[in-house]
Amino acid sequence: MYVATRSPSSATCLSHADALDCALHRHGHYAIARDGTLFRGRDPGKDQSYFLWASTAAWWRGMLTPVGSLTKRETRDVAPRLGLVTADKDESVEICFVPDDDYVGVLERHLPADAPALCPGPLVTVGGAVVGEHAGFARYTIGQRRGLPGGFREPMYVVAIRPTRREVVIAPETNCSATRWRSPR
C-alpha cells in the first residue's frame, strides 16, 4: 500500500544516495531537472515528473536526467548504439538497470559488507517500541507490507526509514496518511 497514492521510491532513492554519499545521481526518468527545478519530460505519454515531485530542490540540483528530453522512441533508438543491455527489454515498473530485479543484490555487490544499508537494525513502531530486527534497511520501501512480522491486531506498513539509526519504522494503516514526503535524514 502506498500512502495517498504517492510512490515511496523517491524517498527510498534519497536514503540510498545518502548512504552512498552521492552528490550527483543519474535517473532514467522521463522528467527534466534543471537548476533545482523539476519539469515535465518531453514525451507526454511517458512523463514521470509526478514520480519525483516530492523530492527536494537540493535533490533535483544533483539530478541528471538524460532521457527527459527524449521521446520513448528516441530512447529505444539510441540504446542499442550505446550497447545498453536493456535496449530490447520489455517495459517494466521495476528498476530498469537491474536485469533480474534484485536491487539488493546490486547493493551487496557494490557496497562493503558492513554498509549501514545492509546491516541489521531495529524494526520499531511509530511509538518507538522495538518489535524485531530487520536484515538491512535497503530491503524496505515506504508503504511496504510484505516481509514484516505478524502478530499485530492489524497489518503493519513501513512508514519511515531512519538510515542514521538503521531503523525501519512500522505502523498500522491508520498511521499511513501524509500530506508530503520527506527525506528520512
Side-chain angles (χ1 to χ4, degrees):
M1 190 216 68
Y2 295 125
V3 178
T5 70
R6 291 176 179 86
S7 172
S9 299
S10 60
T12 301
C13 290
L14 284 168
S15 294
H16 294 307
D18 284 348
L20 296 170
D21 197 25
C22 296
L24 296 174
H25 35 93
R26 185 177 312 267
H27 291 255
H29 295 104
Y30 286 89
I32 298 169
R34 188 181 316 122
D35 300 322
T37 304
L38 186 66
F39 301 92
R40 291 182 180 173
R42 179 172 157 228
D43 189 334
K46 294 302 291 182
D47 172 60
Q48 294 175 317
S49 57
Y50 66 90
F51 173 82
L52 303 162
W53 75 268
S55 302
T56 64
W59 178 252
W60 296 332
R61 248 186 300 286
M63 185 181 287
L64 306 173
T65 54
V67 300
S69 60
L70 302 174
T71 64
K72 180 67 173 188
R73 179 75 263 148
E74 290 168 335
T75 302
R76 288 284 187 178
D77 290 345
V78 170
R81 291 196 304 262
L82 296 175
L84 300 177
V85 297
T86 57
D88 296 320
K89 187 178 177 185
D90 292 336
E91 290 279 332
S92 171
V93 294
E94 297 297 331
I95 303 172
C96 61
F97 59 84
V98 179
D100 58 1
D101 294 333
D102 180 16
Y103 74 93
V104 174
V106 170
L107 293 174
E108 288 171 336
R109 288 190 295 277
H110 294 281
L111 292 176
D114 63 348
L118 301 173
C119 290
L123 190 63
V124 301
T125 64
V126 289
V130 176
V131 294
E133 184 176 87
H134 61 77
F137 63 80
R139 293 167 171 79
Y140 296 89
T141 60
I142 304 297
Q144 179 175 333
R145 180 174 170 213
R146 177 177 283 165
L148 296 177
F152 297 98
R153 285 188 295 223
E154 51 190 318
M156 301 298 270
Y157 298 87
V158 175
V159 295
I161 297 171
R162 298 178 181 143
T164 57
R165 292 185 272 185
R166 293 198 323 253
E167 288 181 340
V168 173
V169 184
I170 62 172
E173 187 174 6
T174 54
N175 289 75
C176 293
S177 62
T179 56
R180 65 188 177 102
W181 288 102
R182 293 181 297 147
S183 172
R185 293 179 199 181

